Amino acid sequence: MLSISTEKKGNALVVTLEGRLDANSAKELEAEATGWIESGDHQHVLDFGGVNFISSAGLRAILLIAKRLEPIGGKVKLCGLNATLMDVFEISGFSKLFVIVPTVAEAI
Amino acid sequence: MIEGSMAASSEVTDQRVLHLPPEPSSLDRVAEVIAVLAQEGHWCDKDRYHVDLVLEELLQNIISYGFPDGHSGGIDLTLQQTQSNILIRLEDDGVAFDPFSIPTPDVEAPLDERAIGGLGIYFACTFMDAHRYIRVNGRNCVELQKRLASASADGS
């Protein structure tokens, strides 16, 4: 189960995620992100403070969002990752692909 | 491990056996069972996450690719806890496939060249202490061993 909520902060769309970002919920995130991009939000800040699980399907969803934003000058930034999640980002090399900062305030 | 595969019954302190359909709902069911085992067995957060992650990755592969149209059957999962290890056996009737035969992904590739295939299996190889694939009675069988961090701390 993943809950997804958004809040506009200046130019950025802050996306608060809570729960599990697994193969099932990654599809929901991808679908939501399509809507944000179509509505003109191109600067995404994903707040992982409430996420306790991410799998390769979740990483894939973030990668797809980033790949769609890049050609239109958009960007995905990540924040709030706990130590266990950070391990997964480092082992997969994803920590080098994304801007990862501790808090939402630092991502905006 | 993994010579003798699963543990002798005298060593097993907790066990779960699940028969699962090759459907997305099985991912949630397995995650729930792992949460209970982890709590009862006092696994640390990292051990719990790694077992949870690797099973999600392997199950997702089986569900996505193991059962193309017309291919029937199920998945059997056995989770055993011993004093110092989690032992896992995952058997399925899906199309014959050794997940550990696929190439290691390039984790240094830049964003525009980045592919996601193989990452889940890479996690399985990285986060488990032992893994093997065998073909048994026409079924795929993956066996995994995870040494519990609490066991290392005890020096056992």
Side-chain angles (χ1 to χ4, degrees):
Chain A
M1 290 293 122
L2 180 75
S3 94
I4 304 170
S5 58
T6 60
E7 189 187 349
K8 193 86 181 162
K9 286 193 177 169
N11 195 26
L13 185 75
V14 177
V15 181
T16 305
L17 303 171
E18 280 178 67
R20 286 174 71 87
L21 185 46
D22 59 16
N24 293 339
S25 59
K27 292 181 199 126
E28 294 168 34
L29 179 62
E30 278 175 46
E32 292 273 338
T34 303
W36 306 328
I37 295 168
E38 283 170 3
S39 336
D41 284 312
H42 298 163
Q43 306 300 326
H44 299 180
V45 175
L46 303 183
D47 182 1
F48 281 83
V51 175
N52 51 28
F53 181 94
I54 188 167
S55 67
S56 66
L59 295 175
R60 179 177 171 276
I62 301 169
L63 185 70
L64 287 177
I65 297 168
K67 282 186 170 179
R68 289 164 78 177
L69 287 173
E70 201 180 34
I72 52 176
K75 205 172 175 81
V76 179
K77 291 183 185 176
L78 313 176
C79 64
L81 291 147
N82 71 30
T84 319
L85 288 187
M86 200 58 212
D87 268 0
V88 170
F89 275 79
E90 275 168 10
I91 285 166
S92 60
F94 268 59
S95 52
K96 291 180 193 155
L97 297 181
F98 295 95
V99 174
I100 301 177
V101 292
T103 64
V104 172
E106 288 161 272
I108 294 173
Chain B
M1 276 247 291
I2 266 178
E3 311 83 38
S5 66
M6 303 305 272
S9 58
S10 60
E11 294 172 11
V12 175
T13 56
D14 204 349
Q15 174 166 309
R16 296 288 188 282
V17 179
L18 298 168
H19 181 70
L20 304 158
E23 295 165 6
S25 61
S26 294
L27 298 176
D28 294 333
R29 186 155 164 232
V30 169
E32 284 164 21
V33 168
I34 291 167
V36 173
L37 266 181
Q39 192 178 14
E40 290 176 355
H42 307 289
W43 306 357
C44 73
D45 287 348
K46 247 182 199 184
D47 286 347
R48 175 188 162 164
Y49 184 84
H50 292 166
V51 171
D52 199 352
L53 174 64
V54 169
L55 273 175
E56 141 118 5
E57 301 290 358
L58 293 170
L59 280 167
Q60 178 61 24
N61 267 355
I62 295 168
I63 293 166
S64 298
Y65 307 113
F67 296 86
D69 290 347
H71 198 104
S72 64
I75 303 167
D76 291 300
L77 172 64
T78 306
L79 289 155
Q80 290 184 331
Q81 174 158 10
T82 67
Q83 199 67 32
S84 51
N85 289 292
I86 306 297
L87 306 172
I88 299 161
R89 174 149 59 198
L90 190 58
E91 283 186 51
D92 69 78
D93 302 303
V95 175
F97 175 62
D98 174 1
F100 306 117
S101 66
I102 63 168
T104 303
D106 179 6
V107 297
E108 302 291 331
L111 184 66
D112 52 350
E113 293 168 20
R114 203 56 206 258
I116 209 75
L119 203 49
I121 303 305
Y122 181 64
F123 289 151
C125 298
T126 305
F127 291 131
M128 293 290 122
D129 292 294
H131 60 84
R132 76 162 174 180
Y133 168 85
I134 42 173
R135 190 86 185 140
V136 181
N137 301 326
R139 308 187 91 196
N140 296 304
C141 177
V142 166
E143 290 181 336
L144 305 162
Q145 177 199 16
K146 175 75 179 172
R147 189 170 169 79
L148 290 167
S150 53
S152 315
D154 293 343
S156 56

